[in-house]
Amino acid sequence: MSSTYGECLKLSIFGQSHGAAIGMTLDGIPAGLPVDIAALNAFLARRAPGQGAHTTARKEADVPEFLSGIVNDHTCGAPIAAMIRNENTRSADYNNLMDRPRPGHADYTAQVKYKGFQDVAGGGHFSGRLTAPLCIAGGLCKQWLSTMGISIHAHISVLGGIADEPLYQDWTCNTPMHVCDDFPVLNKSAGERMLQAIADAKADGDSVGGIIECIVTGLPAGWGDPMFGGMESRIASIVYGIPAVKGIDFGTGFTGSYMRGSENNDVYNIVDGTIRTETNNAGGILGGITNGMPLVFTAAIKPTPSIAKAQQSVSLSKMTAQELQVHGRHDPCIVPRAVPVIEAAAAIAIYDAYLASRKDNL
Amino acid sequence: MSSTYGECLKLSIFGQSHGAAIGMTLDGIPAGLPVDIAALNAFLARRAPGQGAHTTARKEADVPEFLSGIVNDHTCGAPIAAMIRNENTRSADYNNLMDRPRPGHADYTAQVKYKGFQDVAGGGHFSGRLTAPLCIAGGLCKQWLSTMGISIHAHISVLGGIADEPLYQDWTCNTPMHVCDDFPVLNKSAGERMLQAIADAKADGDSVGGIIECIVTGLPAGWGDPMFGGMESRIASIVYGIPAVKGIDFGTGFTGSYMRGSENNDVYNIVDGTIRTETNNAGGILGGITNGMPLVFTAAIKPTPSIAKAQQSVSLSKMTAQELQVHGRHDPCIVPRAVPVIEAAAAIAIYDAYLASRKDNL
Amino acid sequence: MSSTYGECLKLSIFGQSHGAAIGMTLDGIPAGLPVDIAALNAFLARRAPGQGAHTTARKEADVPEFLSGIVNDHTCGAPIAAMIRNENTRSADYNNLMDRPRPGHADYTAQVKYKGFQDVAGGGHFSGRLTAPLCIAGGLCKQWLSTMGISIHAHISVLGGIADEPLYQDWTCNTPMHVCDDFPVLNKSAGERMLQAIADAKADGDSVGGIIECIVTGLPAGWGDPMFGGMESRIASIVYGIPAVKGIDFGTGFTGSYMRGSENNDVYNIVDGTIRTETNNAGGILGGITNGMPLVFTAAIKPTPSIAKAQQSVSLSKMTAQELQVHGRHDPCIVPRAVPVIEAAAAIAIYDAYLASRKDNL
Amino acid sequence: MSSTYGECLKLSIFGQSHGAAIGMTLDGIPAGLPVDIAALNAFLARRAPGQGAHTTARKEADVPEFLSGIVNDHTCGAPIAAMIRNENTRSADYNNLMDRPRPGHADYTAQVKYKGFQDVAGGGHFSGRLTAPLCIAGGLCKQWLSTMGISIHAHISVLGGIADEPLYQDWTCNTPMHVCDDFPVLNKSAGERMLQAIADAKADGDSVGGIIECIVTGLPAGWGDPMFGGMESRIASIVYGIPAVKGIDFGTGFTGSYMRGSENNDVYNIVDGTIRTETNNAGGILGGITNGMPLVFTAAIKPTPSIAKAQQSVSLSKMTAQELQVHGRHDPCIVPRAVPVIEAAAAIAIYDAYLASRKDNL
């Protein structure tokens, strides 16, 4: 476990924020799948820092080098390996964190688990930077799903308490998905107020969190397995691998638990000779298995724990309370950059479920 | 995958609602652990049906028979296997479901996936009845965690829109956990209104859902792994294996995503020579690893999809819309019975993380 | 791990020799596969004891009861579970073994690993009796492979130093496979001398071992994976799960390591429009992947460690040397009964590789 | 599966012979373990080509670059990743192999499985070159086992039909293990005749195979698990991941199957207050679990399939027989270079079993 995911595919992620490189191996992918490197790099650019006023100043190209698994722009059956060299690191910023853990970060828990041997610089293996290799794997899976007519789109549903329009009932997916790649919201005015909320938090030396909604269209019915192999388990276990995610629900989710059965049940109908449900409160999943409707989930992102404001911490060596001032470069809000990461995680889980489903079709 | 869970332990659940038996095997458990069968049966009785006005009329003893793995009331190192014979089944109630899928159930998705070969009676392998073997495994893990000073308690947080008092900030856990075993709430008045909400829904031929909050106290810091091996991934992937769960969050979760970093961060302090956080918004988990505070999560349970009211469905053979009247015995609310199931799932995930953590301590 | 096997299917075996029951769950099998219970019972009868002069006197029907996963004689997609009740046990025979371990058995290693909590009666979970549930799973896989034109046959290649005719180069498989179900050899005279060798060993209070050759015909090219997913790894890891197996090789195996490349290489040819090799020294596997020729392996079975002769052991409590006289009922040779077990293990590994191969065919 | 191994540790190997790089990630290793890079490079040099008259002319430094997981010469808890750039490749040598498969290689099976998308140059992912990353992982595990007093030594037991002295009964391990690092045999005269056999085969445009014996000393009793988690299954499944291995047995193995029980059983005795067996026919494993004696196994290596002699093959496009002349640089015997690879595989399997055993010690 730990940094390995998958049933039919095996994703293994490596690297520390300020180590030599970060990267991934992806085993179990069929041979002969096309790979569009330019499209992948465009996808990766969506999570890259340094693009707007709302992100960290650390600039990185984050263009992966592929080490194996791709020949003539197609998968060759061997494991796919890729890495991104770490550059522009400033480890000196983090020197005091081993003794004085940052609130909301993994500094203290890593110290207990690894007994001082962990790589503390930049959060080490716990850094949000590790979502870059997740996006390499997810960007590839997204391409392969796309050739099957399956699309994955996420947007900022809530940021700093400001809500965008919802998607989950819009199963026709006629709504334009993104106002812009860099800050994906459906409602322009909401987006502008969100950007202001980030600017306000930054001015206060503080940060904001948010909620991301993700919708997957074009899925056939019949993918996923009962019990622990259900689509919810598959997606939740990879989405919770993204730092800062603290909640996930599917369809009406938490809201649905306030409804009555007659409201929340999606009744069936025949439309154009096809079975569909009139609503999509189930978020496209029944019994863990896709029902042919869009798969919809939302993920809660906590506010960035690194804030400029002074906070109370403790000295682990002296066992006394100590004020902590976190330096370094940090996003006042990671939600916009987390949007493609959520898409990537969903793509990996769904492509894995697709591979698993191939066993069932005798 | 599918009906198998675990990294260090391997839980495999079998059975269909109206088949010969349901049961489980649990491999990877150390030898020499005590097993209290009477206490386990008392735990299982908490999820048994037929106890109150709010549950189904189907009565079952649900006392497991252990087939292997336990000698002289201790684990012997061999896999533990147990089964519960199915009795009091009425398969005739379900005869028409293969053609006319119930809204909100797995009938249609199972039909697509298994092409008509699935066991349709009582929901087959998708039945909530499969949570009984989950409770056998979880009840055992709960006992073993208890000997280490770790307690797991869940209560009905919301039912039919009525809220109980919250627990997550009460990390001292001085609050009495349960008003009663059969209907666990902290606030008696809230509990009475919840019971009324169930009665009202039943009178309307309808059902209600709810939210369960679970708290784990006594956990040491340092359990869990980074990324996909984090406590959130471990717990979410088993909790989503419980039918009707459509959401899970940890600590402040979805609520926390509306906060600023300075509000949501839990600052550190030294209390009685021990490191603790002043609040517990993280729900006891940072970077996927326990931080020594209580682990807290909530799970959203959708309203029971089986309702007495007529609903619209389709005939799969005729491909036309058809009204459906669901017969059989069903709970107007499964939330109370799901409370021990949530505790069981948490216990399994945490005991597995405990076993995994033993590798780290050189 | 431990008693769990498989990549796409998940086999979990439970039970102790003298516990309540032995059995298995088999998850991950597609729905809709036919199950012929009578044929399965006939297959299980091949490993049942008590059939001839050469086997133990313990008589057991060993007819499994299926608990789940099969409806109307077809798999239903839910995990298949089956058990066999243990009867005719005589635990008193084993009372002294916890202190005085039998040479060649797991008594001592189980004592160290499980610290006295292990089930010592009849060898507990280490008993050869646990091959019965392996044969349930394997017998089913064998049936499903058979519908694809794939046959698995094993015979006694060597017993008590007496050799049967070899099969591995006979890729046409015109040779009649078995003289009889109960004692499968190709050469009748060799079989008679083997039976005499067993009788001689029994008269001496001793035992004999042997070698089993297994051949799988009808396999398509392209199953199996590189490196640790190769057919050799898949088969070896399950065959070594059979008690008493201490060696396995494929094709010319150990003999081939004495050859030159020009002798051992199988050159290609076109026969009837199909690619085949002129010899089959590779045993049907190149790079871990089937090449369309029969898959051939041999497994070395050590002589039964339980012998009537007095042997030197130690008292674990007194830490002194002690003579040991093993009582109870034991086969002077388990090789004949191991033949269907080897077939079962091969069938499970190959069916799992088949399921895995389905991912590759886009 | 495929290129991923391990229960508690997760080894993932990537790369193709003539791709950008080969490498591995190794997850699940505790933090704080020392890493001696110089000693690792010395170990890797033992399998490096180009050292003597008996090996290929391709020269490669094969010094790995570590990308993550090691800080200040200690493991930091994050996955360890390392890679070796491929240099000195001559892909043009392999241009015709896609149409005309080499006998004894994976060319044909890879063509069937990957439908022409496989990387054919140098054998791609099936190349013996992939044993370099296996040796990185294994060399690290060997170091960590060494700090626990566990040593792993292998030697050439048979080469070109010439036998070295055996080790398996020499449980005191007083015999000097290696005549030299580059060509490890116990008997100098046997070694000289083996070198002559290689020279003779080379002169004939042919190749020779052999058998490697491996002995692991210093192991405690109690590691390994029953059934499929036994030491034999764990070791066999990784050793069969090494190209050209076609057989493996433990202790007396195939030879033992010709013995009687009274000969093959290892009787117990007390020596210096410790339980040991008087012989070690079991190769240190009973019931899949170590018994405190040296763990001993032998692996059969087939003769190098690439030979200079012309061989018969087929044209896959024309479906006609075609003569094939294999060009390129190849060892007339890979057995000497496979010796450290066998040690590496054993080290990984044993270190994984060690980590797994830590769960059992409550």
Side-chain angles (χ1 to χ4, degrees):
Chain A
M1 269 226 217
S2 181
S3 306
T4 309
Y5 174 86
E7 178 189 3
C8 288
L9 58 81
K10 296 288 175 201
L11 170 65
S12 180
I13 287 182
F14 65 84
Q16 300 113 243
S17 182
H18 292 215
I22 55 176
M24 59 110 232
T25 60
L26 183 61
D27 196 2
I29 301 298
L33 295 170
V35 172
D36 182 336
I37 297 289
L40 178 67
N41 288 339
F43 176 71
L44 294 175
R46 287 177 54 200
R47 79 157 281 290
Q51 299 187 350
H54 54 86
T55 68
T56 167
R58 178 174 172 183
K59 293 202 185 299
E60 288 176 345
D62 279 358
V63 173
E65 178 189 4
F66 282 88
L67 302 174
S68 69
I70 298 175
V71 174
N72 295 330
D73 293 326
H74 286 79
T75 58
C76 70
I80 301 165
M83 69 164 184
I84 299 170
R85 295 260 176 211
N86 286 323
E87 294 166 13
N88 194 14
T89 59
R90 300 197 306 184
S91 291
D93 287 358
Y94 299 92
N95 276 351
N96 62 336
L97 298 182
M98 187 163 280
D99 186 53
R100 217 173 302 174
R102 291 169 298 174
H105 275 282
D107 299 340
Y108 171 63
T109 54
Q111 170 71 23
V112 172
K113 183 176 176 71
Y114 301 121
K115 296 173 184 61
F117 288 102
Q118 74 277 13
D119 186 359
V120 76
H125 191 57
F126 296 88
S127 167
R129 185 152 171 68
L130 271 292
T131 57
L134 191 76
C135 283
I136 298 173
L140 292 173
C141 291
K142 217 175 162 218
Q143 291 185 7
W144 302 325
L145 289 168
S146 175
T147 66
M148 292 187 264
I150 296 166
S151 296
I152 302 177
H153 290 287
H155 71 116
I156 305 170
S157 178
V158 175
L159 190 154
I162 298 144
D164 192 18
E165 294 162 24
L167 266 177
Y168 80 92
Q169 288 286 11
D170 178 35
W171 69 272
T172 57
C173 290
N174 288 327
T175 319
M177 278 294 147
H178 299 298
V179 168
C180 69
D181 265 3
D182 191 18
F183 200 85
V185 289
L186 303 175
N187 183 296
K188 195 159 186 290
S189 156
E192 282 160 2
R193 280 177 291 138
M194 288 175 186
L195 283 165
Q196 187 59 47
I198 297 175
D200 291 350
K202 191 177 186 179
D204 296 345
D206 215 328
S207 65
V208 285
I211 297 173
I212 292 169
E213 187 188 40
C214 184
I215 185 161
V216 187
T217 57
L219 281 169
W223 290 5
D225 290 277
M227 302 205 79
F228 318 119
M231 293 308 300
E232 293 102 333
S233 291
R234 290 168 176 273
I235 292 171
S237 60
I238 190 167
V239 165
Y240 272 122
I242 302 168
V245 171
K246 296 297 276 189
I248 185 168
D249 64 358
F250 292 82
T252 50
F254 279 93
T255 304
S257 67
Y258 288 80
M259 296 180 180
R260 280 191 164 190
S262 58
E263 290 171 276
N264 194 55
N265 280 354
D266 301 303
V267 302
Y268 288 102
N269 207 345
I270 309 280
V271 177
D272 299 334
T274 304
I275 294 164
R276 42 155 293 201
T277 58
E278 302 240 331
T279 47
N280 188 21
N281 294 324
I285 309 170
L286 287 172
I289 300 169
T290 56
N291 68 355
M293 301 291 288
L295 190 157
V296 186
F297 68 91
T298 61
I301 313 286
K302 73 177 182 185
T304 319
S306 288
I307 56 178
K309 271 186 181 168
Q311 296 176 89
Q312 182 179 309
S313 181
V314 290
S315 162
L316 299 180
S317 57
K318 300 180 193 156
M319 287 299 277
T320 55
Q322 299 276 339
E323 198 184 79
L324 175 74
Q325 186 86 39
V326 179
H327 300 290
R329 302 147 301 183
H330 300 285
D331 287 337
C333 181
I334 59 159
V335 178
R337 293 180 58 199
V339 170
V341 180
I342 292 287
E343 293 179 7
I348 294 164
I350 290 167
Y351 197 76
D352 195 29
Y354 157 67
L355 291 176
S357 78
R358 298 176 58 84
K359 297 177 309 193
D360 303 323
N361 302 309
L362 296 178
Chain B
M1 267 223 217
S2 182
S3 307
T4 308
Y5 175 86
E7 178 191 2
C8 288
L9 58 78
K10 296 288 175 201
L11 171 64
S12 180
I13 288 183
F14 64 84
Q16 300 114 243
S17 183
H18 291 217
I22 56 175
M24 58 111 232
T25 61
L26 182 61
D27 196 2
I29 302 298
L33 295 172
V35 172
D36 182 336
I37 296 289
L40 178 68
N41 287 339
F43 176 71
L44 294 176
R46 287 176 54 200
R47 79 158 280 292
Q51 300 187 349
H54 55 86
T55 67
T56 166
R58 179 174 172 181
K59 290 200 188 300
E60 289 177 343
D62 279 356
V63 174
E65 178 188 5
F66 281 89
L67 302 174
S68 70
I70 298 175
V71 174
N72 296 330
D73 294 325
H74 285 79
T75 57
C76 70
I80 301 166
M83 69 165 186
I84 299 170
R85 294 260 176 212
N86 286 322
E87 294 165 14
N88 193 15
T89 59
R90 301 198 304 185
S91 292
D93 287 358
Y94 299 92
N95 276 351
N96 63 336
L97 297 182
M98 187 163 281
D99 186 53
R100 216 174 303 176
R102 292 169 296 176
H105 275 282
D107 299 340
Y108 171 63
T109 54
Q111 170 72 22
V112 173
K113 183 175 176 70
Y114 301 121
K115 296 171 184 61
F117 289 101
Q118 74 277 14
D119 186 359
V120 77
H125 190 58
F126 295 88
S127 167
R129 184 152 170 69
L130 272 292
T131 58
L134 191 75
C135 282
I136 298 174
L140 293 172
C141 291
K142 215 175 164 219
Q143 291 185 7
W144 302 325
L145 289 170
S146 175
T147 66
M148 292 187 265
I150 296 166
S151 295
I152 302 177
H153 291 288
H155 71 116
I156 304 170
S157 179
V158 176
L159 191 153
I162 298 146
D164 192 18
E165 295 161 23
L167 265 177
Y168 79 93
Q169 286 288 8
D170 178 37
W171 67 272
T172 58
C173 290
N174 288 326
T175 320
M177 278 294 147
H178 299 300
V179 167
C180 68
D181 267 2
D182 190 18
F183 200 85
V185 288
L186 303 176
N187 183 297
K188 194 160 187 289
S189 155
E192 283 160 2
R193 281 178 290 139
M194 289 175 185
L195 283 166
Q196 187 58 49
I198 297 175
D200 290 351
K202 192 178 186 179
D204 295 346
D206 215 328
S207 65
V208 285
I211 297 173
I212 291 170
E213 186 187 40
C214 183
I215 185 162
V216 187
T217 58
L219 280 170
W223 290 5
D225 290 276
M227 303 203 77
F228 319 118
M231 294 307 303
E232 294 102 334
S233 292
R234 289 167 176 274
I235 292 171
S237 60
I238 189 167
V239 165
Y240 272 122
I242 302 168
V245 171
K246 294 297 276 190
I248 184 168
D249 64 359
F250 293 81
T252 50
F254 278 94
T255 304
S257 67
Y258 288 80
M259 295 181 181
R260 280 192 164 189
S262 58
E263 289 172 276
N264 194 56
N265 281 354
D266 302 302
V267 302
Y268 289 102
N269 207 346
I270 309 280
V271 177
D272 300 333
T274 304
I275 294 164
R276 43 155 292 202
T277 58
E278 301 240 333
T279 47
N280 189 20
N281 294 324
I285 309 170
L286 286 172
I289 301 170
T290 57
N291 67 356
M293 300 292 289
L295 191 156
V296 186
F297 68 90
T298 61
I301 314 286
K302 72 178 183 184
T304 319
S306 288
I307 56 178
K309 272 185 180 167
Q311 296 175 90
Q312 181 179 309
S313 182
V314 290
S315 162
L316 299 180
S317 57
K318 300 179 194 156
M319 287 299 277
T320 56
Q322 299 275 338
E323 197 183 79
L324 175 74
Q325 186 87 39
V326 179
H327 300 290
R329 303 147 299 182
H330 299 286
D331 287 336
C333 182
I334 60 158
V335 178
R337 292 180 59 199
V339 170
V341 180
I342 291 287
E343 293 179 6
I348 294 164
I350 290 168
Y351 196 76
D352 195 30
Y354 157 68
L355 291 176
S357 79
R358 298 176 58 83
K359 296 176 309 193
D360 304 323
N361 302 309
L362 296 178
Chain C
M1 269 224 217
S2 182
S3 307
T4 309
Y5 175 85
E7 179 190 1
C8 288
L9 58 79
K10 296 289 175 200
L11 171 64
S12 180
I13 288 182
F14 64 85
Q16 299 114 242
S17 183
H18 291 216
I22 56 175
M24 58 110 232
T25 60
L26 182 61
D27 196 2
I29 301 298
L33 295 171
V35 172
D36 182 337
I37 297 289
L40 178 67
N41 288 339
F43 177 71
L44 294 176
R46 287 178 54 201
R47 80 157 280 291
Q51 300 185 350
H54 54 86
T55 68
T56 168
R58 178 175 172 180
K59 292 201 185 301
E60 289 176 344
D62 278 357
V63 174
E65 178 189 4
F66 282 88
L67 302 174
S68 68
I70 298 175
V71 174
N72 295 332
D73 294 325
H74 286 78
T75 58
C76 69
I80 302 165
M83 69 164 184
I84 300 170
R85 295 259 176 211
N86 286 323
E87 294 165 13
N88 194 15
T89 60
R90 301 198 304 184
S91 291
D93 287 358
Y94 299 91
N95 277 350
N96 63 336
L97 297 182
M98 187 164 281
D99 187 51
R100 218 173 301 176
R102 292 169 296 175
H105 275 282
D107 299 340
Y108 171 64
T109 54
Q111 169 71 22
V112 173
K113 183 176 176 70
Y114 300 121
K115 297 172 184 61
F117 288 101
Q118 74 277 13
D119 186 359
V120 77
H125 190 57
F126 295 88
S127 167
R129 184 153 170 68
L130 271 292
T131 57
L134 191 74
C135 283
I136 299 173
L140 293 172
C141 290
K142 218 176 161 218
Q143 292 185 7
W144 302 326
L145 289 169
S146 175
T147 65
M148 292 187 264
I150 296 166
S151 297
I152 302 178
H153 291 288
H155 71 116
I156 305 170
S157 178
V158 176
L159 189 154
I162 298 145
D164 192 18
E165 295 162 24
L167 266 178
Y168 80 92
Q169 287 287 10
D170 178 36
W171 68 273
T172 57
C173 290
N174 289 327
T175 320
M177 277 295 147
H178 299 298
V179 168
C180 67
D181 265 3
D182 191 17
F183 199 85
V185 287
L186 303 176
N187 184 296
K188 194 158 186 289
S189 155
E192 282 160 4
R193 281 178 290 139
M194 289 175 185
L195 283 165
Q196 187 59 48
I198 297 174
D200 291 350
K202 190 177 187 178
D204 295 346
D206 215 329
S207 65
V208 285
I211 297 173
I212 292 169
E213 187 187 40
C214 183
I215 186 161
V216 187
T217 58
L219 281 169
W223 290 6
D225 290 276
M227 302 205 80
F228 319 119
M231 294 307 302
E232 295 101 335
S233 292
R234 290 167 176 273
I235 292 171
S237 61
I238 189 166
V239 165
Y240 272 123
I242 303 169
V245 171
K246 295 297 275 189
I248 184 167
D249 64 359
F250 293 81
T252 50
F254 278 94
T255 304
S257 67
Y258 288 80
M259 294 180 182
R260 280 192 164 188
S262 58
E263 290 172 275
N264 194 56
N265 280 354
D266 301 303
V267 302
Y268 289 102
N269 207 346
I270 308 280
V271 176
D272 299 334
T274 305
I275 293 165
R276 43 155 294 203
T277 59
E278 302 241 330
T279 48
N280 189 19
N281 294 324
I285 309 170
L286 287 172
I289 300 169
T290 57
N291 68 356
M293 301 291 289
L295 191 156
V296 186
F297 69 92
T298 61
I301 314 286
K302 72 177 182 185
T304 320
S306 288
I307 56 178
K309 272 186 181 169
Q311 295 176 90
Q312 182 179 307
S313 182
V314 290
S315 162
L316 299 179
S317 57
K318 299 178 194 158
M319 285 301 276
T320 56
Q322 299 275 338
E323 198 183 79
L324 175 74
Q325 186 87 41
V326 179
H327 300 289
R329 303 147 300 183
H330 300 286
D331 287 337
C333 181
I334 59 158
V335 178
R337 292 180 58 199
V339 170
V341 180
I342 292 287
E343 293 178 6
I348 294 164
I350 290 168
Y351 196 76
D352 195 29
Y354 157 68
L355 291 176
S357 79
R358 298 176 57 85
K359 296 176 309 193
D360 303 324
N361 301 310
L362 295 179
Chain D
M1 266 221 219
S2 181
S3 306
T4 309
Y5 175 86
E7 178 190 3
C8 287
L9 59 78
K10 297 287 175 202
L11 170 64
S12 180
I13 288 182
F14 65 83
Q16 300 114 243
S17 184
H18 290 216
I22 56 175
M24 57 112 234
T25 60
L26 182 60
D27 195 2
I29 302 298
L33 295 171
V35 172
D36 183 337
I37 297 288
L40 178 67
N41 288 339
F43 176 71
L44 294 176
R46 287 176 55 199
R47 80 159 279 291
Q51 300 186 351
H54 54 87
T55 66
T56 166
R58 178 174 171 182
K59 292 200 187 301
E60 288 176 344
D62 278 359
V63 174
E65 179 189 3
F66 282 88
L67 301 174
S68 69
I70 298 176
V71 175
N72 296 330
D73 294 326
H74 286 78
T75 58
C76 70
I80 301 165
M83 70 163 184
I84 300 170
R85 294 260 176 212
N86 286 323
E87 295 167 12
N88 193 15
T89 59
R90 300 197 305 184
S91 291
D93 287 357
Y94 299 92
N95 276 351
N96 62 337
L97 297 182
M98 187 162 279
D99 186 52
R100 217 173 302 176
R102 292 169 297 175
H105 275 283
D107 299 340
Y108 172 62
T109 54
Q111 170 71 23
V112 173
K113 182 175 176 70
Y114 300 121
K115 297 172 184 59
F117 289 101
Q118 75 277 12
D119 186 359
V120 77
H125 191 57
F126 296 87
S127 167
R129 185 154 170 67
L130 272 292
T131 58
L134 191 75
C135 283
I136 298 174
L140 292 172
C141 290
K142 216 175 162 219
Q143 291 185 7
W144 302 326
L145 290 169
S146 176
T147 66
M148 291 187 265
I150 296 165
S151 296
I152 302 177
H153 291 289
H155 71 117
I156 305 170
S157 179
V158 175
L159 189 155
I162 298 146
D164 192 17
E165 295 161 24
L167 266 177
Y168 80 92
Q169 288 286 10
D170 179 35
W171 68 272
T172 59
C173 289
N174 289 327
T175 319
M177 278 295 146
H178 299 299
V179 168
C180 69
D181 266 4
D182 191 18
F183 200 84
V185 289
L186 303 176
N187 184 296
K188 194 160 187 287
S189 157
E192 283 160 3
R193 281 178 290 139
M194 289 175 184
L195 283 166
Q196 188 58 50
I198 297 174
D200 290 350
K202 190 178 187 179
D204 295 345
D206 214 328
S207 66
V208 286
I211 297 173
I212 292 169
E213 187 188 40
C214 184
I215 185 160
V216 187
T217 59
L219 280 170
W223 290 6
D225 290 278
M227 303 205 77
F228 319 118
M231 295 306 303
E232 294 102 334
S233 291
R234 290 168 177 273
I235 292 171
S237 61
I238 189 167
V239 165
Y240 272 123
I242 303 168
V245 171
K246 295 297 276 189
I248 184 167
D249 64 359
F250 293 82
T252 51
F254 278 93
T255 304
S257 67
Y258 288 79
M259 295 180 182
R260 280 191 163 189
S262 58
E263 290 171 276
N264 194 55
N265 280 354
D266 302 302
V267 302
Y268 289 102
N269 207 346
I270 309 279
V271 177
D272 299 333
T274 305
I275 294 164
R276 40 154 295 200
T277 58
E278 302 239 332
T279 47
N280 189 19
N281 294 325
I285 309 169
L286 286 171
I289 300 170
T290 57
N291 67 356
M293 301 291 289
L295 190 156
V296 186
F297 69 91
T298 60
I301 313 286
K302 73 177 182 185
T304 319
S306 288
I307 56 178
K309 273 185 182 170
Q311 296 175 89
Q312 181 179 309
S313 182
V314 290
S315 163
L316 299 179
S317 57
K318 300 179 194 156
M319 286 300 276
T320 55
Q322 299 276 338
E323 198 183 78
L324 175 74
Q325 186 87 41
V326 178
H327 300 290
R329 303 146 300 181
H330 300 285
D331 287 336
C333 182
I334 60 157
V335 178
R337 292 180 59 198
V339 170
V341 180
I342 292 287
E343 294 179 7
I348 295 164
I350 290 168
Y351 197 77
D352 194 29
Y354 157 69
L355 291 177
S357 78
R358 298 177 59 84
K359 296 176 310 193
D360 304 323
N361 301 309
L362 296 179

